[in-house]
Amino acid sequence: MHMVNTRECLGLGKYFSILWLYLLSGVNCGTRMLEPPSRASLWRYGYNTPTNLYDDKTNCGGYDVHYNVNNGTCGVCGDPTNEAKPRDHEAGGQFSPSPTPVRVYKKGGYITVVMETTGTLFGRFEFRICPIIDNMETPEQSCFDKNLLTILESEQGTGYIVGSKQGIHTLNIQLPISLTCPHCILQWRHVTGFMTSQDTCYKCSNGEQRCHVCLGCGKQVGLVHWLY
């Protein structure tokens, strides 16, 4: 997670400090936020934060932990919910002991975000924002869900279809016109679509059961990033 300079935000009253969250579930390839850099990746950009070699895999603990242990719940920074608080990527955790300011943005404007996928993960990107008071605060997911952001390049408006493309993804998202805050946290979620699931099954006349296998159906790996 990454925090923006508080005093600049308060002084003008119409700027955002941004915190980015990244989450991935149980797969060898992953995604990371390059611009603005995610909390997990700040060390790659010269910030004095702990080294996290798995910054593209904040993945709710992986598929099995995410769904079979934690019943599909995930920490807002992509940590497994059964992890003791503060979780690794939350404020005060192992990889974010003291959230560091990185960006300031103007309310209502479009900002350019750059993500990297290291495999063909399919699925969609979504972005949310949540206002906070203190940079050591870790809000609930419900706060982010109140502000699902518009993506300029998305035909769906708030969900960008990734498709089979891997590598660099550059998008423009719009910040809320009516939201100002000393600190805001920006959350990027990648709901992947590379796993297959049995969609419908039927029994043949000879008693054999056959099932239609659907790519992207059912439970999928999720990825989430936070920016300060």
Side-chain angles (χ1 to χ4, degrees):
M1 300 180 223
H2 319 288
M3 294 302 307
V4 185
N5 190 305
T6 312
R7 286 169 292 186
E8 290 183 9
C9 296
L10 288 173
L12 294 177
K14 55 181 180 181
Y15 286 81
F16 289 99
S17 65
I18 301 295
L19 171 67
W20 201 268
L21 165 69
Y22 176 97
L23 173 158
L24 173 67
S25 311
V27 62
N28 289 330
C29 51
T31 63
R32 63 170 58 91
M33 178 59 64
L34 305 181
E35 176 56 38
S38 73
R39 175 176 293 190
S41 302
L42 280 181
W43 62 278
R44 295 183 183 273
Y45 299 89
Y47 291 89
N48 185 26
T49 57
T51 300
N52 181 1
L53 297 176
Y54 301 99
D55 56 342
D56 64 337
K57 295 178 177 63
T58 47
N59 62 355
C60 310
Y63 184 91
D64 184 61
V65 172
H66 186 192
Y67 290 107
N68 298 327
V69 176
N70 293 325
N71 298 314
T73 63
C74 184
V76 289
C77 295
D79 301 299
T81 53
N82 62 333
E83 189 176 286
K85 294 183 179 182
R87 301 179 181 114
D88 283 349
H89 296 87
E90 296 176 356
Q94 178 182 356
F95 297 115
S96 187
S98 180
T100 304
V102 293
R103 298 290 186 270
V104 176
Y105 298 109
K106 190 173 182 179
K107 71 172 184 177
Y110 279 95
I111 65 173
T112 300
V113 294
V114 182
M115 294 73 61
E116 178 187 21
T117 55
T118 57
T120 303
L121 299 175
F122 299 101
R124 68 183 186 276
F125 292 162
E126 296 176 348
F127 300 87
R128 294 171 171 81
I129 196 167
C130 168
I132 61 174
I133 297 175
D134 185 89
N135 65 355
M136 294 300 291
E137 178 182 351
T138 299
E140 298 295 328
Q141 182 61 41
S142 58
C143 180
F144 294 99
D145 292 341
K146 294 176 182 177
N147 293 291
L148 182 60
L149 303 183
T150 298
I151 305 169
L152 182 61
E153 292 82 1
S154 171
E155 294 181 358
Q156 297 181 337
T158 57
Y160 175 78
I161 302 302
V162 181
S164 61
K165 178 183 177 180
Q166 57 180 295
I168 302 300
H169 305 259
T170 301
L171 300 173
N172 294 277
I173 59 176
Q174 185 176 24
L175 299 175
I177 296 175
S178 59
L179 179 63
T180 60
C181 45
H183 290 173
C184 282
I185 301 174
L186 182 64
Q187 184 188 69
W188 166 40
R189 181 178 296 272
H190 181 185
V191 180
T192 64
F194 67 91
M195 300 188 70
T196 58
S197 178
Q198 292 183 351
D199 187 15
T200 56
C201 298
Y202 61 92
K203 184 173 290 187
C204 302
S205 58
N206 62 0
E208 179 184 358
Q209 178 171 285
R210 293 189 178 183
C211 297
H212 174 254
V213 177
C214 176
L215 177 65
C217 298
K219 298 175 181 178
Q220 296 291 320
V221 171
L223 305 97
V224 183
H225 289 269
W226 280 31
L227 299 184
Y228 297 81

